[in-house]
């Protein structure tokens, strides 16, 4: 199928709790301070399945899995600020001789929705990055219609995953299963909120594994990881971030995309396997950022087309051809060379780029992998130490932004990834607006202030503290605030500083 036919769907995959029918399990009320989700789930066995409202049927079937998972699949609603044309003169042009490229635009709010899966009793939720990307506000609705505002703990565009947090305890959650043990032909359930239809369950089978469909190519640094589980369980817009579970009620994937000519389900859906999901969630929980271990090689699938382009036989029909090895990389240090063909990692056969990427994506910088490869027809082994983008083995922790307040307003330093993406030097992001004058002027949550024009001229804003200092000096004066939204849309407004 042509890659253009693949439509990035809003698909759901429910993180399913493992063997949850533990009849006598009691909830442990002590605080959970685990740094990974295996510990968090093991330390908080929620006895929600013993509720008298239903009983688990004999044997494993669709009903039992659906009853276990549905309460832990949530509706995720995102608010994104956009702009809309407004008639009238440009006050910047009239007052300061400055012409905005987006003259006379006023901020509006657009909403999108998807799904998410609760993975701990204290309110951690996994969803897709594209469900909450550029959102100024994220709302969570449980199956019982209880609603919360969520914090974004971290995101990973390269796998299209995000970790959210709501402040609640004793929540139903689903336990991670082992996607490696999933077999083609195995029955699975997809749980989510397609077309805003809450708590919808569909059934199908695993129709393929380790699929690469080329939908995440815009990820930063070309580090996208696509090794999807393919299923024919029906998923549609609104299902993104929901659960794909086995009949034991265990989470085996987060549904992310569909193959479609129309934008709705056409027979195939794709889920990020939990072998990747759990590692990404653990990284975001502990460090706030994904720790990406890299082998440092340029790779492509072995194929007849590759042999034809190389004008030589490769002697094998499947595997991962090394087209180049980066200097100073773990692969170079391990002795890998251009022309080698990787056929296994850590004892697992890697007959495609997707599978190799999946195996390496489970690791962190500093971890070692055993690489089985072919060179001139001979089978060899090498031990490679993975490194990060900087070429070392250091763990990268998320920078904690400076947060500052002023007269009903709260600002934080612009996040580094947003600053890099927008190609700006600095700025302060509005995170709360409780000042009525600023609200009426057009200030919105998520707006990034990059400069301020006052009576004495224009000042560039480097961060939150810089902005607060300027506002303190501008009390009683009218200023013009300039900046842009995370989607790159520029905007400005006038306000008197109280």
């Amino acid at each position: 199928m042509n890659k253009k036919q693949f439509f990035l769907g809003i698909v759901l995959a429910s993180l399913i709790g493992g063997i949850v029918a533990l009849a006598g399990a009691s909830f442990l009320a002590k605080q959970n301070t685990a740094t990974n989700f295996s510990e968090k789930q093991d330390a908080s066995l929620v006895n929600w399945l013993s509720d008298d409202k239903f009983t688990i049927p004999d044997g494993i079937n669709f009903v039992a899995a659906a009853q276990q998972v549905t309460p832990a699949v949530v509706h995720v609603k995102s608010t994104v600020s956009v702009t809309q044309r407004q008639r009238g003169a440009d006050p910047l042009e009239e007052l300061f001789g400055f012409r905005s490229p987006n003259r006379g635009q006023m901020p509006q709010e657009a909403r999108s929705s998807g799904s998410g899966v609760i993975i701990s009793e204290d309110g951690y939720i996994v969803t897709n990055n594209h469900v909450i990307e550029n959102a100024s506000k994220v709302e969570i609705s449980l199956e019982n219609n209880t609603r919360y505002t969520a914090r974004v703990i971290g995101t990973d565009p390269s796998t299209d995953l995000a970790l959210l947090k709501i402040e609640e305890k004793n929540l139903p959650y689903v336990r991670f299963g082992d996607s490696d043990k999933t077999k083609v032909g195995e029955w699975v359930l997809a749980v989510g909120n397609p077309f805003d239809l809450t708590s919808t369950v569909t059934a199908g089978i695993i129709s393929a594994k380790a699929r690469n469909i080329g939908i995440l190519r815009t990820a930063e640094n070309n580090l996208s990881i696509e090794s999807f589980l393919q299923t024919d369980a029906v998923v549609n817009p609104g299902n993104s971030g929901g659960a794909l579970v086995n009949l034991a009620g265990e989470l085996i994937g987060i549904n992310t995309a569909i193959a479609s000519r129309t934008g709705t389900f056409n027979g195939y859906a794709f889920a990020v396997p939990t072998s990747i999901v759990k590692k990404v969630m653990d990284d975001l929980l502990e460090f706030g950022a994904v720790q990406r271990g890299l082998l440092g090689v340029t790779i492509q699938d072995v194929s007849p087309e590759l042999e034809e382009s190389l004008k030589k036989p490769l002697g094998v029909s499947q595997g991962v051809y090394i087209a180049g090895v980066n200097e100073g990389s773990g692969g170079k240090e391990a002795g890998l060379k251009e022309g080698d063909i990787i056929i296994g990692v850590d004892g697992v056969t890697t007959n495609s780029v997707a599978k190799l990427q999946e195996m390496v994506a489970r690791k962190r910088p500093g971890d070692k992998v055993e690489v089985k490869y072919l060179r001139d027809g001979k089978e060899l082994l090498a031990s490679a130490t993975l490194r990060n983008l900087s070429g070392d083995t250091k763990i990268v922790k998320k920078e904690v932004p400076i947060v500052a307040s002023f007269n009903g307003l709260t600002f934080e330093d612009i996040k580094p990834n947003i600053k890099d993406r927008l190609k700006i030097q600095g700025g302060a992001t509005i995170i709360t607006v409780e000042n009525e004058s600023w609200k009426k002027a057009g200030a919105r949550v998520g707006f990034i202030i990059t400069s301020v024009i006052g009576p004495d001229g224009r000042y560039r804003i480097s961060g939150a503290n810089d902005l607060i200092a300027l506002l303190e000096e501008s009390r009683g004066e009218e200023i013009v605030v300039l900046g842009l939204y995370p989607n790159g849309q520029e905007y400005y407004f006038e306000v008197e500083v109280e």
Side-chain angles (χ1 to χ4, degrees), residues 293-434:
L294 303 174
L295 190 56
V297 294
T298 304
I299 53 179
Q300 60 189 106
D301 287 328
V302 169
S303 67
E305 290 78 15
L306 176 60
E307 287 186 324
E308 184 177 341
S309 67
L310 295 173
K311 298 185 180 347
K312 67 176 182 178
L314 296 176
V316 63
S317 60
Q318 289 184 314
V320 181
Y321 180 81
I322 297 180
V325 182
N326 298 334
E327 291 295 330
S329 67
K332 184 76 171 181
E333 187 180 70
L336 297 177
K337 297 180 179 180
E338 180 180 344
D340 291 343
I341 299 173
I342 299 175
I343 57 174
V345 171
D346 290 341
V348 177
T349 299
T350 56
N351 53 20
S352 68
V353 167
K355 188 61 181 179
L356 175 60
Q357 288 180 325
E358 178 191 336
M359 294 300 297
V360 174
R362 305 178 188 194
K363 306 289 186 177
R364 291 174 176 172
D367 288 346
K368 292 183 179 294
V369 293
E370 184 182 71
V371 181
K372 182 189 292 187
Y373 64 99
L374 299 175
R375 178 181 293 169
D376 299 327
K378 296 180 180 179
E379 190 173 292
L380 302 171
L381 287 176
S383 178
T385 300
L386 302 179
R387 300 181 180 179
N388 58 29
L389 277 172
S390 300
D392 56 44
T393 58
K394 294 179 181 178
I395 293 296
V396 179
K397 290 199 173 183
K398 180 181 179 181
E399 294 183 21
V400 178
I402 294 174
V403 177
S405 299
F406 176 86
N407 196 17
L409 302 157
T410 309
F411 309 95
E412 71 175 9
D413 289 351
I414 182 174
K415 291 181 172 59
N417 64 321
I418 296 178
K419 182 169 66 174
D420 292 343
R421 176 163 55 81
L422 296 176
K423 295 180 173 55
I424 56 179
Q425 297 300 311
T429 304
I430 301 176
I431 56 176
T432 63
V433 183
E434 296 179 1

Side-chain angles (χ1 to χ4, degrees), residues 170-185:
N170 302 344
L171 291 168
Y173 67 92
V174 289
R175 294 173 64 85
F176 286 104
D178 188 348
S179 57
D180 288 344
K181 295 180 179 178
T182 301
K183 305 294 185 184
V184 173

Side-chain angles (χ1 to χ4, degrees), residues 96-273:
F96 305 102
F98 175 85
R99 184 175 179 82
S100 168
N102 297 285
R103 172 175 174 170
Q105 295 189 344
M106 288 293 289
Q108 303 293 321
E109 291 184 341
R111 297 182 182 274
S112 63
S113 68
S115 303
V117 183
I118 303 174
I119 53 175
S120 69
E121 62 85 23
D122 56 346
Y124 284 97
I125 296 168
V126 61
T127 187
N128 283 138
N129 175 66
H130 75 261
V131 171
I132 55 89
E133 190 171 21
N134 296 328
S136 58
K137 183 178 181 181
V138 179
E139 296 176 297
I140 301 296
S141 296
L142 304 188
E143 185 196 27
N144 62 9
N145 208 33
T146 305
R147 301 183 182 184
Y148 303 86
T149 297
R151 288 187 293 120
V152 178
I153 302 300
T155 64
D156 182 32
S158 68
T159 55
D160 198 17
L161 295 171
L163 179 63
L164 310 178
K165 178 70 166 68
I166 58 175
E167 298 307 317
E168 188 57 274
K169 297 291 184 182
N170 302 344
L171 291 168
Y173 67 92
V174 289
R175 294 173 64 85
F176 286 104
D178 188 348
S179 57
D180 288 344
K181 295 180 179 178
T182 301
K183 305 294 185 184
V184 173
E186 177 180 343
W187 280 106
V188 291
L189 299 182
V191 186
N193 306 284
F195 306 120
D196 282 336
L197 299 173
T198 304
S199 303
T200 296
V201 180
T202 57
I205 63 168
I206 296 294
S207 54
K209 299 179 68 175
R211 280 284 196 238
N212 184 324
I213 59 176
I215 63 170
L216 299 180
R217 290 180 175 176
T218 58
E220 296 177 25
N221 300 310
N222 294 317
L223 293 180
S224 61
I225 305 296
E226 291 190 26
S227 186
F228 294 120
L229 297 176
Q230 179 180 305
T231 177
D232 63 357
V234 177
V235 291
N236 272 303
N239 279 128
S240 286
L244 186 71
V245 301
N246 59 26
L247 297 192
E250 297 170 330
L251 180 72
I252 59 169
I254 295 297
N255 285 336
T256 299
I258 57 177
S260 176
R261 293 186 178 92
T262 63
T264 57
F265 186 71
N266 273 136
Y268 299 106
F270 303 91
V272 181

Side-chain angles (χ1 to χ4, degrees), residues 402-413 427-432 435 438 449-452 459-477 479 481 497-498:
I402 294 174
V403 177
S405 299
F406 176 86
N407 196 17
L409 302 157
T410 309
F411 309 95
E412 71 175 9
D413 289 351
T429 304
I430 301 176
I431 56 176
T432 63
N435 184 304
W438 282 65
I449 299 174
T450 57
S451 60
V452 171
Y459 299 88
R460 298 286 181 181
I461 303 301
S462 61
N465 285 339
D466 186 31
L467 176 60
I468 295 298
L470 181 60
L471 293 177
E472 290 286 359
E473 295 176 1
S474 303
R475 287 184 183 273
E477 298 177 351
I479 62 173
V481 179
V497 183
E498 301 169 348

